[in-house]
PDB file of all heavy atoms in Angstrom:
ATOM      1  N   PRO A   1      -7.781  -6.861   0.687  1.00  0.00           N
ATOM      2  CA  PRO A   1      -7.337  -5.512   1.050  1.00  0.00           C
ATOM      3  C   PRO A   1      -7.848  -5.095   2.425  1.00  0.00           C
ATOM      4  O   PRO A   1      -8.855  -5.620   2.916  1.00  0.00           O
ATOM      5  CB  PRO A   1      -7.941  -4.644  -0.048  1.00  0.00           C
ATOM      6  CG  PRO A   1      -9.185  -5.373  -0.439  1.00  0.00           C
ATOM      7  CD  PRO A   1      -8.839  -6.835  -0.342  1.00  0.00           C
ATOM      8  N   PRO A   2      -7.176  -4.161   3.049  1.00  0.00           N
ATOM      9  CA  PRO A   2      -7.632  -3.650   4.340  1.00  0.00           C
ATOM     10  C   PRO A   2      -8.782  -2.658   4.144  1.00  0.00           C
ATOM     11  O   PRO A   2      -8.996  -2.152   3.042  1.00  0.00           O
ATOM     12  CB  PRO A   2      -6.388  -2.945   4.880  1.00  0.00           C
ATOM     13  CG  PRO A   2      -5.687  -2.472   3.642  1.00  0.00           C
ATOM     14  CD  PRO A   2      -5.916  -3.544   2.616  1.00  0.00           C
ATOM     15  N   PRO A   3      -9.514  -2.364   5.210  1.00  0.00           N
ATOM     16  CA  PRO A   3     -10.548  -1.328   5.108  1.00  0.00           C
ATOM     17  C   PRO A   3      -9.912   0.044   5.027  1.00  0.00           C
ATOM     18  O   PRO A   3      -8.732   0.229   5.326  1.00  0.00           O
ATOM     19  CB  PRO A   3     -11.336  -1.509   6.409  1.00  0.00           C
ATOM     20  CG  PRO A   3     -10.336  -2.067   7.368  1.00  0.00           C
ATOM     21  CD  PRO A   3      -9.456  -2.967   6.555  1.00  0.00           C
ATOM     22  N   GLY A   4     -10.683   0.999   4.597  1.00  0.00           N
ATOM     23  CA  GLY A   4     -10.181   2.358   4.509  1.00  0.00           C
ATOM     24  C   GLY A   4     -10.523   3.006   3.187  1.00  0.00           C
ATOM     25  O   GLY A   4     -11.072   2.370   2.285  1.00  0.00           O
ATOM     26  N   LEU A   5     -10.186   4.282   3.075  1.00  0.00           N
ATOM     27  CA  LEU A   5     -10.443   5.051   1.871  1.00  0.00           C
ATOM     28  C   LEU A   5      -9.122   5.311   1.153  1.00  0.00           C
ATOM     29  O   LEU A   5      -8.152   5.763   1.766  1.00  0.00           O
ATOM     30  CB  LEU A   5     -11.129   6.371   2.216  1.00  0.00           C
ATOM     31  CG  LEU A   5     -12.457   6.246   2.992  1.00  0.00           C
ATOM     32  CD1 LEU A   5     -13.029   7.626   3.265  1.00  0.00           C
ATOM     33  CD2 LEU A   5     -13.452   5.371   2.239  1.00  0.00           C
ATOM     34  N   PHE A   6      -9.098   5.037  -0.153  1.00  0.00           N
ATOM     35  CA  PHE A   6      -7.864   5.090  -0.931  1.00  0.00           C
ATOM     36  C   PHE A   6      -8.048   5.935  -2.189  1.00  0.00           C
ATOM     37  O   PHE A   6      -9.159   6.079  -2.698  1.00  0.00           O
ATOM     38  CB  PHE A   6      -7.427   3.681  -1.323  1.00  0.00           C
ATOM     39  CG  PHE A   6      -7.028   2.810  -0.156  1.00  0.00           C
ATOM     40  CD1 PHE A   6      -7.988   2.159   0.615  1.00  0.00           C
ATOM     41  CD2 PHE A   6      -5.693   2.637   0.169  1.00  0.00           C
ATOM     42  CE1 PHE A   6      -7.620   1.361   1.689  1.00  0.00           C
ATOM     43  CE2 PHE A   6      -5.314   1.842   1.237  1.00  0.00           C
ATOM     44  CZ  PHE A   6      -6.277   1.203   1.997  1.00  0.00           C
ATOM     45  N   ILE A   7      -6.932   6.456  -2.694  1.00  0.00           N
ATOM     46  CA  ILE A   7      -6.959   7.218  -3.945  1.00  0.00           C
ATOM     47  C   ILE A   7      -6.224   6.498  -5.070  1.00  0.00           C
ATOM     48  O   ILE A   7      -6.360   6.862  -6.236  1.00  0.00           O
ATOM     49  CB  ILE A   7      -6.357   8.626  -3.762  1.00  0.00           C
ATOM     50  CG1 ILE A   7      -4.913   8.559  -3.272  1.00  0.00           C
ATOM     51  CG2 ILE A   7      -7.204   9.448  -2.815  1.00  0.00           C
ATOM     52  CD1 ILE A   7      -4.234   9.917  -3.190  1.00  0.00           C
ATOM     53  N   GLN A   8      -5.442   5.440  -4.744  1.00  0.00           N
ATOM     54  CA  GLN A   8      -4.769   4.656  -5.769  1.00  0.00           C
ATOM     55  C   GLN A   8      -4.463   3.274  -5.219  1.00  0.00           C
ATOM     56  O   GLN A   8      -4.195   3.110  -4.025  1.00  0.00           O
ATOM     57  CB  GLN A   8      -3.465   5.321  -6.227  1.00  0.00           C
ATOM     58  CG  GLN A   8      -2.838   4.627  -7.447  1.00  0.00           C
ATOM     59  CD  GLN A   8      -1.407   5.064  -7.715  1.00  0.00           C
ATOM     60  OE1 GLN A   8      -0.877   5.922  -7.028  1.00  0.00           O
ATOM     61  NE2 GLN A   8      -0.787   4.446  -8.700  1.00  0.00           N
ATOM     62  N   VAL A   9      -4.508   2.266  -6.107  1.00  0.00           N
ATOM     63  CA  VAL A   9      -4.165   0.900  -5.726  1.00  0.00           C
ATOM     64  C   VAL A   9      -3.235   0.321  -6.780  1.00  0.00           C
ATOM     65  O   VAL A   9      -3.307   0.666  -7.962  1.00  0.00           O
ATOM     66  CB  VAL A   9      -5.429   0.018  -5.575  1.00  0.00           C
ATOM     67  CG1 VAL A   9      -6.151  -0.161  -6.908  1.00  0.00           C
ATOM     68  CG2 VAL A   9      -5.086  -1.330  -4.956  1.00  0.00           C
ATOM     69  N   GLY A  10      -2.318  -0.552  -6.343  1.00  0.00           N
ATOM     70  CA  GLY A  10      -1.404  -1.228  -7.251  1.00  0.00           C
ATOM     71  C   GLY A  10      -1.351  -2.705  -6.917  1.00  0.00           C
ATOM     72  O   GLY A  10      -1.208  -3.083  -5.753  1.00  0.00           O
ATOM     73  N   ALA A  11      -1.483  -3.565  -7.936  1.00  0.00           N
ATOM     74  CA  ALA A  11      -1.410  -5.011  -7.763  1.00  0.00           C
ATOM     75  C   ALA A  11      -0.085  -5.508  -8.333  1.00  0.00           C
ATOM     76  O   ALA A  11       0.260  -5.200  -9.476  1.00  0.00           O
ATOM     77  CB  ALA A  11      -2.587  -5.702  -8.459  1.00  0.00           C
ATOM     78  N   GLY A  12       0.657  -6.290  -7.544  1.00  0.00           N
ATOM     79  CA  GLY A  12       1.953  -6.796  -7.989  1.00  0.00           C
ATOM     80  C   GLY A  12       1.889  -8.267  -8.334  1.00  0.00           C
ATOM     81  O   GLY A  12       0.959  -8.731  -8.990  1.00  0.00           O
ATOM     82  N   ILE A  13       2.895  -9.024  -7.881  1.00  0.00           N
ATOM     83  CA  ILE A  13       2.912 -10.460  -8.113  1.00  0.00           C
ATOM     84  C   ILE A  13       2.061 -11.163  -7.067  1.00  0.00           C
ATOM     85  O   ILE A  13       1.014 -11.717  -7.365  1.00  0.00           O
ATOM     86  CB  ILE A  13       4.355 -10.996  -8.078  1.00  0.00           C
ATOM     87  CG1 ILE A  13       5.189 -10.336  -9.196  1.00  0.00           C
ATOM     88  CG2 ILE A  13       4.369 -12.521  -8.255  1.00  0.00           C
ATOM     89  CD1 ILE A  13       4.772 -10.720 -10.585  1.00  0.00           C
ATOM     90  N   GLN A  14       2.487 -11.131  -5.826  1.00  0.00           N
ATOM     91  CA  GLN A  14       1.725 -11.738  -4.736  1.00  0.00           C
ATOM     92  C   GLN A  14       1.504 -10.749  -3.594  1.00  0.00           C
ATOM     93  O   GLN A  14       1.306 -11.152  -2.446  1.00  0.00           O
ATOM     94  CB  GLN A  14       2.450 -12.991  -4.238  1.00  0.00           C
ATOM     95  CG  GLN A  14       2.438 -14.125  -5.263  1.00  0.00           C
ATOM     96  CD  GLN A  14       3.311 -15.287  -4.849  1.00  0.00           C
ATOM     97  OE1 GLN A  14       4.485 -15.123  -4.531  1.00  0.00           O
ATOM     98  NE2 GLN A  14       2.736 -16.477  -4.851  1.00  0.00           N
ATOM     99  N   HIS A  15       1.579  -9.479  -3.930  1.00  0.00           N
ATOM    100  CA  HIS A  15       1.265  -8.459  -2.940  1.00  0.00           C
ATOM    101  C   HIS A  15       0.612  -7.280  -3.645  1.00  0.00           C
ATOM    102  O   HIS A  15       0.670  -7.153  -4.869  1.00  0.00           O
ATOM    103  CB  HIS A  15       2.524  -8.003  -2.184  1.00  0.00           C
ATOM    104  CG  HIS A  15       3.372  -7.016  -2.907  1.00  0.00           C
ATOM    105  ND1 HIS A  15       4.084  -7.331  -4.050  1.00  0.00           N
ATOM    106  CD2 HIS A  15       3.630  -5.695  -2.660  1.00  0.00           C
ATOM    107  CE1 HIS A  15       4.748  -6.272  -4.464  1.00  0.00           C
ATOM    108  NE2 HIS A  15       4.478  -5.261  -3.645  1.00  0.00           N
ATOM    109  N   SER A  16      -0.034  -6.439  -2.866  1.00  0.00           N
ATOM    110  CA  SER A  16      -0.703  -5.251  -3.385  1.00  0.00           C
ATOM    111  C   SER A  16      -0.481  -4.110  -2.404  1.00  0.00           C
ATOM    112  O   SER A  16      -0.211  -4.334  -1.223  1.00  0.00           O
ATOM    113  CB  SER A  16      -2.210  -5.499  -3.553  1.00  0.00           C
ATOM    114  OG  SER A  16      -2.473  -6.659  -4.310  1.00  0.00           O
ATOM    115  N   CYS A  17      -0.597  -2.891  -2.900  1.00  0.00           N
ATOM    116  CA  CYS A  17      -0.452  -1.709  -2.046  1.00  0.00           C
ATOM    117  C   CYS A  17      -1.487  -0.666  -2.437  1.00  0.00           C
ATOM    118  O   CYS A  17      -1.905  -0.590  -3.601  1.00  0.00           O
ATOM    119  CB  CYS A  17       0.948  -1.093  -2.170  1.00  0.00           C
ATOM    120  SG  CYS A  17       2.309  -2.143  -1.605  1.00  0.00           S
ATOM    121  N   GLY A  18      -1.867   0.135  -1.475  1.00  0.00           N
ATOM    122  CA  GLY A  18      -2.812   1.204  -1.735  1.00  0.00           C
ATOM    123  C   GLY A  18      -2.350   2.507  -1.115  1.00  0.00           C
ATOM    124  O   GLY A  18      -1.726   2.522  -0.051  1.00  0.00           O
ATOM    125  N   LEU A  19      -2.631   3.598  -1.810  1.00  0.00           N
ATOM    126  CA  LEU A  19      -2.335   4.936  -1.318  1.00  0.00           C
ATOM    127  C   LEU A  19      -3.596   5.497  -0.682  1.00  0.00           C
ATOM    128  O   LEU A  19      -4.612   5.680  -1.356  1.00  0.00           O
ATOM    129  CB  LEU A  19      -1.856   5.828  -2.471  1.00  0.00           C
ATOM    130  CG  LEU A  19      -1.507   7.273  -2.137  1.00  0.00           C
ATOM    131  CD1 LEU A  19      -0.345   7.342  -1.151  1.00  0.00           C
ATOM    132  CD2 LEU A  19      -1.172   8.046  -3.415  1.00  0.00           C
ATOM    133  N   LYS A  20      -3.541   5.756   0.614  1.00  0.00           N
ATOM    134  CA  LYS A  20      -4.708   6.191   1.358  1.00  0.00           C
ATOM    135  C   LYS A  20      -4.978   7.686   1.159  1.00  0.00           C
ATOM    136  O   LYS A  20      -4.128   8.431   0.658  1.00  0.00           O
ATOM    137  CB  LYS A  20      -4.509   5.879   2.842  1.00  0.00           C
ATOM    138  CG  LYS A  20      -4.241   4.401   3.110  1.00  0.00           C
ATOM    139  CD  LYS A  20      -4.031   4.097   4.564  1.00  0.00           C
ATOM    140  CE  LYS A  20      -5.336   4.046   5.316  1.00  0.00           C
ATOM    141  NZ  LYS A  20      -5.176   3.540   6.692  1.00  0.00           N
ATOM    142  N   MET A  21      -6.150   8.102   1.546  1.00  0.00           N
ATOM    143  CA  MET A  21      -6.562   9.488   1.374  1.00  0.00           C
ATOM    144  C   MET A  21      -5.639  10.449   2.116  1.00  0.00           C
ATOM    145  O   MET A  21      -5.444  11.593   1.691  1.00  0.00           O
ATOM    146  CB  MET A  21      -8.001   9.663   1.868  1.00  0.00           C
ATOM    147  CG  MET A  21      -9.034   8.880   1.073  1.00  0.00           C
ATOM    148  SD  MET A  21      -9.414   9.619  -0.529  1.00  0.00           S
ATOM    149  CE  MET A  21     -10.365  11.046  -0.032  1.00  0.00           C
ATOM    150  N   ASN A  22      -5.033   9.988   3.218  1.00  0.00           N
ATOM    151  CA  ASN A  22      -4.147  10.853   3.999  1.00  0.00           C
ATOM    152  C   ASN A  22      -2.698  10.820   3.527  1.00  0.00           C
ATOM    153  O   ASN A  22      -1.821  11.397   4.166  1.00  0.00           O
ATOM    154  CB  ASN A  22      -4.218  10.483   5.482  1.00  0.00           C
ATOM    155  CG  ASN A  22      -3.730   9.061   5.753  1.00  0.00           C
ATOM    156  OD1 ASN A  22      -3.298   8.357   4.852  1.00  0.00           O
ATOM    157  ND2 ASN A  22      -3.828   8.648   7.006  1.00  0.00           N
ATOM    158  N   GLY A  23      -2.438  10.121   2.412  1.00  0.00           N
ATOM    159  CA  GLY A  23      -1.091  10.069   1.848  1.00  0.00           C
ATOM    160  C   GLY A  23      -0.246   8.916   2.324  1.00  0.00           C
ATOM    161  O   GLY A  23       0.879   8.721   1.828  1.00  0.00           O
ATOM    162  N   GLU A  24      -0.732   8.137   3.276  1.00  0.00           N
ATOM    163  CA  GLU A  24       0.008   6.974   3.758  1.00  0.00           C
ATOM    164  C   GLU A  24      -0.215   5.781   2.826  1.00  0.00           C
ATOM    165  O   GLU A  24      -1.211   5.705   2.103  1.00  0.00           O
ATOM    166  CB  GLU A  24      -0.431   6.616   5.174  1.00  0.00           C
ATOM    167  CG  GLU A  24      -0.106   7.686   6.201  1.00  0.00           C
ATOM    168  CD  GLU A  24      -0.597   7.323   7.589  1.00  0.00           C
ATOM    169  OE1 GLU A  24      -1.314   6.297   7.713  1.00  0.00           O
ATOM    170  OE2 GLU A  24      -0.273   8.051   8.544  1.00  0.00           O
ATOM    171  N   ILE A  25       0.734   4.837   2.858  1.00  0.00           N
ATOM    172  CA  ILE A  25       0.656   3.633   2.027  1.00  0.00           C
ATOM    173  C   ILE A  25       0.426   2.423   2.925  1.00  0.00           C
ATOM    174  O   ILE A  25       1.050   2.283   3.979  1.00  0.00           O
ATOM    175  CB  ILE A  25       1.941   3.445   1.207  1.00  0.00           C
ATOM    176  CG1 ILE A  25       2.082   4.556   0.166  1.00  0.00           C
ATOM    177  CG2 ILE A  25       1.949   2.075   0.504  1.00  0.00           C
ATOM    178  CD1 ILE A  25       3.379   4.520  -0.593  1.00  0.00           C
ATOM    179  N   GLU A  26      -0.458   1.553   2.493  1.00  0.00           N
ATOM    180  CA  GLU A  26      -0.703   0.294   3.196  1.00  0.00           C
ATOM    181  C   GLU A  26      -0.613  -0.842   2.181  1.00  0.00           C
ATOM    182  O   GLU A  26      -1.147  -0.734   1.069  1.00  0.00           O
ATOM    183  CB  GLU A  26      -2.069   0.308   3.872  1.00  0.00           C
ATOM    184  CG  GLU A  26      -2.285  -0.861   4.813  1.00  0.00           C
ATOM    185  CD  GLU A  26      -3.454  -0.663   5.758  1.00  0.00           C
ATOM    186  OE1 GLU A  26      -4.060   0.428   5.736  1.00  0.00           O
ATOM    187  OE2 GLU A  26      -3.763  -1.609   6.502  1.00  0.00           O
ATOM    188  N   CYS A  27       0.106  -1.911   2.532  1.00  0.00           N
ATOM    189  CA  CYS A  27       0.294  -3.054   1.646  1.00  0.00           C
ATOM    190  C   CYS A  27      -0.212  -4.323   2.304  1.00  0.00           C
ATOM    191  O   CYS A  27      -0.317  -4.408   3.536  1.00  0.00           O
ATOM    192  CB  CYS A  27       1.770  -3.220   1.281  1.00  0.00           C
ATOM    193  SG  CYS A  27       2.521  -1.795   0.449  1.00  0.00           S
ATOM    194  N   TRP A  28      -0.500  -5.348   1.489  1.00  0.00           N
ATOM    195  CA  TRP A  28      -0.983  -6.622   1.989  1.00  0.00           C
ATOM    196  C   TRP A  28      -0.541  -7.726   1.030  1.00  0.00           C
ATOM    197  O   TRP A  28      -0.194  -7.486  -0.114  1.00  0.00           O
ATOM    198  CB  TRP A  28      -2.499  -6.608   2.150  1.00  0.00           C
ATOM    199  CG  TRP A  28      -3.260  -6.247   0.908  1.00  0.00           C
ATOM    200  CD1 TRP A  28      -3.848  -7.100   0.010  1.00  0.00           C
ATOM    201  CD2 TRP A  28      -3.536  -4.922   0.406  1.00  0.00           C
ATOM    202  NE1 TRP A  28      -4.448  -6.404  -1.003  1.00  0.00           N
ATOM    203  CE2 TRP A  28      -4.279  -5.069  -0.781  1.00  0.00           C
ATOM    204  CE3 TRP A  28      -3.211  -3.634   0.863  1.00  0.00           C
ATOM    205  CZ2 TRP A  28      -4.696  -3.971  -1.534  1.00  0.00           C
ATOM    206  CZ3 TRP A  28      -3.634  -2.545   0.100  1.00  0.00           C
ATOM    207  CH2 TRP A  28      -4.372  -2.718  -1.069  1.00  0.00           C
ATOM    208  N   GLY A  29      -0.507  -8.956   1.558  1.00  0.00           N
ATOM    209  CA  GLY A  29      -0.047 -10.093   0.766  1.00  0.00           C
ATOM    210  C   GLY A  29       1.333 -10.540   1.209  1.00  0.00           C
ATOM    211  O   GLY A  29       1.747 -10.327   2.349  1.00  0.00           O
ATOM    212  N   SER A  30       2.073 -11.174   0.309  1.00  0.00           N
ATOM    213  CA  SER A  30       3.393 -11.706   0.619  1.00  0.00           C
ATOM    214  C   SER A  30       4.354 -10.598   1.044  1.00  0.00           C
ATOM    215  O   SER A  30       4.401  -9.535   0.427  1.00  0.00           O
ATOM    216  CB  SER A  30       3.971 -12.434  -0.597  1.00  0.00           C
ATOM    217  OG  SER A  30       5.303 -12.842  -0.362  1.00  0.00           O
ATOM    218  N   ASP A  31       5.126 -10.895   2.092  1.00  0.00           N
ATOM    219  CA  ASP A  31       6.122  -9.943   2.573  1.00  0.00           C
ATOM    220  C   ASP A  31       7.501 -10.602   2.623  1.00  0.00           C
ATOM    221  O   ASP A  31       8.356 -10.241   3.443  1.00  0.00           O
ATOM    222  CB  ASP A  31       5.726  -9.436   3.967  1.00  0.00           C
ATOM    223  CG  ASP A  31       6.452  -8.148   4.345  1.00  0.00           C
ATOM    224  OD1 ASP A  31       6.772  -7.353   3.436  1.00  0.00           O
ATOM    225  OD2 ASP A  31       6.706  -7.935   5.543  1.00  0.00           O
ATOM    226  N   ALA A  32       7.724 -11.570   1.724  1.00  0.00           N
ATOM    227  CA  ALA A  32       8.961 -12.349   1.724  1.00  0.00           C
ATOM    228  C   ALA A  32      10.199 -11.487   1.539  1.00  0.00           C
ATOM    229  O   ALA A  32      11.272 -11.803   2.080  1.00  0.00           O
ATOM    230  CB  ALA A  32       8.896 -13.416   0.628  1.00  0.00           C
ATOM    231  N   ASP A  33      10.088 -10.402   0.786  1.00  0.00           N
ATOM    232  CA  ASP A  33      11.211  -9.497   0.545  1.00  0.00           C
ATOM    233  C   ASP A  33      10.968  -8.116   1.140  1.00  0.00           C
ATOM    234  O   ASP A  33      11.620  -7.149   0.749  1.00  0.00           O
ATOM    235  CB  ASP A  33      11.487  -9.370  -0.959  1.00  0.00           C
ATOM    236  CG  ASP A  33      11.949 -10.674  -1.575  1.00  0.00           C
ATOM    237  OD1 ASP A  33      13.023 -11.165  -1.173  1.00  0.00           O
ATOM    238  OD2 ASP A  33      11.237 -11.224  -2.435  1.00  0.00           O
ATOM    239  N   GLY A  34      10.017  -8.017   2.049  1.00  0.00           N
ATOM    240  CA  GLY A  34       9.685  -6.727   2.638  1.00  0.00           C
ATOM    241  C   GLY A  34       8.803  -5.873   1.754  1.00  0.00           C
ATOM    242  O   GLY A  34       8.609  -4.682   2.026  1.00  0.00           O
ATOM    243  N   GLN A  35       8.221  -6.478   0.699  1.00  0.00           N
ATOM    244  CA  GLN A  35       7.421  -5.700  -0.250  1.00  0.00           C
ATOM    245  C   GLN A  35       6.078  -5.253   0.309  1.00  0.00           C
ATOM    246  O   GLN A  35       5.435  -4.361  -0.249  1.00  0.00           O
ATOM    247  CB  GLN A  35       7.214  -6.482  -1.556  1.00  0.00           C
ATOM    248  CG  GLN A  35       6.371  -7.746  -1.434  1.00  0.00           C
ATOM    249  CD  GLN A  35       7.200  -8.984  -1.175  1.00  0.00           C
ATOM    250  OE1 GLN A  35       8.101  -8.989  -0.358  1.00  0.00           O
ATOM    251  NE2 GLN A  35       6.894 -10.057  -1.907  1.00  0.00           N
ATOM    252  N   ALA A  36       5.638  -5.875   1.407  1.00  0.00           N
ATOM    253  CA  ALA A  36       4.377  -5.469   2.033  1.00  0.00           C
ATOM    254  C   ALA A  36       4.607  -4.637   3.283  1.00  0.00           C
ATOM    255  O   ALA A  36       3.691  -4.454   4.091  1.00  0.00           O
ATOM    256  CB  ALA A  36       3.534  -6.699   2.360  1.00  0.00           C
ATOM    257  N   THR A  37       5.838  -4.136   3.438  1.00  0.00           N
ATOM    258  CA  THR A  37       6.165  -3.268   4.564  1.00  0.00           C
ATOM    259  C   THR A  37       6.630  -1.925   4.023  1.00  0.00           C
ATOM    260  O   THR A  37       7.831  -1.667   3.872  1.00  0.00           O
ATOM    261  CB  THR A  37       7.262  -3.891   5.450  1.00  0.00           C
ATOM    262  OG1 THR A  37       6.858  -5.200   5.858  1.00  0.00           O
ATOM    263  CG2 THR A  37       7.502  -3.045   6.688  1.00  0.00           C
ATOM    264  N   PRO A  38       5.711  -1.044   3.678  1.00  0.00           N
ATOM    265  CA  PRO A  38       6.082   0.234   3.073  1.00  0.00           C
ATOM    266  C   PRO A  38       6.657   1.197   4.091  1.00  0.00           C
ATOM    267  O   PRO A  38       6.442   1.045   5.302  1.00  0.00           O
ATOM    268  CB  PRO A  38       4.753   0.748   2.517  1.00  0.00           C
ATOM    269  CG  PRO A  38       3.733   0.185   3.466  1.00  0.00           C
ATOM    270  CD  PRO A  38       4.247  -1.179   3.839  1.00  0.00           C
ATOM    271  N   PRO A  39       7.377   2.199   3.628  1.00  0.00           N
ATOM    272  CA  PRO A  39       7.894   3.222   4.541  1.00  0.00           C
ATOM    273  C   PRO A  39       6.772   4.131   5.025  1.00  0.00           C
ATOM    274  O   PRO A  39       5.693   4.186   4.430  1.00  0.00           O
ATOM    275  CB  PRO A  39       8.893   3.984   3.675  1.00  0.00           C
ATOM    276  CG  PRO A  39       8.366   3.818   2.284  1.00  0.00           C
ATOM    277  CD  PRO A  39       7.774   2.445   2.228  1.00  0.00           C
ATOM    278  N   THR A  40       7.037   4.806   6.102  1.00  0.00           N
ATOM    279  CA  THR A  40       6.076   5.779   6.603  1.00  0.00           C
ATOM    280  C   THR A  40       6.261   7.108   5.867  1.00  0.00           C
ATOM    281  O   THR A  40       7.273   7.348   5.220  1.00  0.00           O
ATOM    282  CB  THR A  40       6.249   5.998   8.110  1.00  0.00           C
ATOM    283  OG1 THR A  40       7.590   6.463   8.358  1.00  0.00           O
ATOM    284  CG2 THR A  40       6.022   4.702   8.875  1.00  0.00           C
ATOM    285  N   GLY A  41       5.274   7.963   5.976  1.00  0.00           N
ATOM    286  CA  GLY A  41       5.363   9.271   5.348  1.00  0.00           C
ATOM    287  C   GLY A  41       4.150   9.574   4.503  1.00  0.00           C
ATOM    288  O   GLY A  41       3.195   8.797   4.446  1.00  0.00           O
ATOM    289  N   SER A  42       4.213  10.707   3.844  1.00  0.00           N
ATOM    290  CA  SER A  42       3.131  11.161   2.977  1.00  0.00           C
ATOM    291  C   SER A  42       3.572  11.038   1.518  1.00  0.00           C
ATOM    292  O   SER A  42       4.636  11.540   1.137  1.00  0.00           O
ATOM    293  CB  SER A  42       2.759  12.617   3.295  1.00  0.00           C
ATOM    294  OG  SER A  42       1.711  13.066   2.475  1.00  0.00           O
ATOM    295  N   PHE A  43       2.752  10.368   0.702  1.00  0.00           N
ATOM    296  CA  PHE A  43       3.084  10.087  -0.693  1.00  0.00           C
ATOM    297  C   PHE A  43       1.970  10.584  -1.611  1.00  0.00           C
ATOM    298  O   PHE A  43       0.834  10.793  -1.189  1.00  0.00           O
ATOM    299  CB  PHE A  43       3.296   8.590  -0.891  1.00  0.00           C
ATOM    300  CG  PHE A  43       4.469   8.033  -0.123  1.00  0.00           C
ATOM    301  CD1 PHE A  43       4.331   7.660   1.209  1.00  0.00           C
ATOM    302  CD2 PHE A  43       5.714   7.903  -0.713  1.00  0.00           C
ATOM    303  CE1 PHE A  43       5.409   7.156   1.933  1.00  0.00           C
ATOM    304  CE2 PHE A  43       6.795   7.398  -0.003  1.00  0.00           C
ATOM    305  CZ  PHE A  43       6.642   7.025   1.311  1.00  0.00           C
ATOM    306  N   THR A  44       2.326  10.759  -2.891  1.00  0.00           N
ATOM    307  CA  THR A  44       1.357  11.250  -3.863  1.00  0.00           C
ATOM    308  C   THR A  44       1.032  10.240  -4.958  1.00  0.00           C
ATOM    309  O   THR A  44       0.027  10.374  -5.646  1.00  0.00           O
ATOM    310  CB  THR A  44       1.870  12.536  -4.535  1.00  0.00           C
ATOM    311  OG1 THR A  44       3.110  12.255  -5.220  1.00  0.00           O
ATOM    312  CG2 THR A  44       2.107  13.635  -3.510  1.00  0.00           C
ATOM    313  N   GLN A  45       1.881   9.207  -5.140  1.00  0.00           N
ATOM    314  CA  GLN A  45       1.668   8.221  -6.212  1.00  0.00           C
ATOM    315  C   GLN A  45       2.521   7.003  -5.924  1.00  0.00           C
ATOM    316  O   GLN A  45       3.592   7.101  -5.317  1.00  0.00           O
ATOM    317  CB  GLN A  45       2.030   8.825  -7.571  1.00  0.00           C
ATOM    318  CG  GLN A  45       1.730   7.928  -8.776  1.00  0.00           C
ATOM    319  CD  GLN A  45       2.963   7.222  -9.321  1.00  0.00           C
ATOM    320  OE1 GLN A  45       4.081   7.691  -9.146  1.00  0.00           O
ATOM    321  NE2 GLN A  45       2.777   6.120  -9.999  1.00  0.00           N
TER     322      GLN A  45
END
């Protein structure tokens, strides 16, 4: 995972994503289908 402060994390098949304290999403791992490239914006879950 990347550094930073998060309020939620999700583990998938070969990628994971986290919801940061500022509402942004950051993902890591396989990006074969664009699953590790989240949209920009503010999210709650």
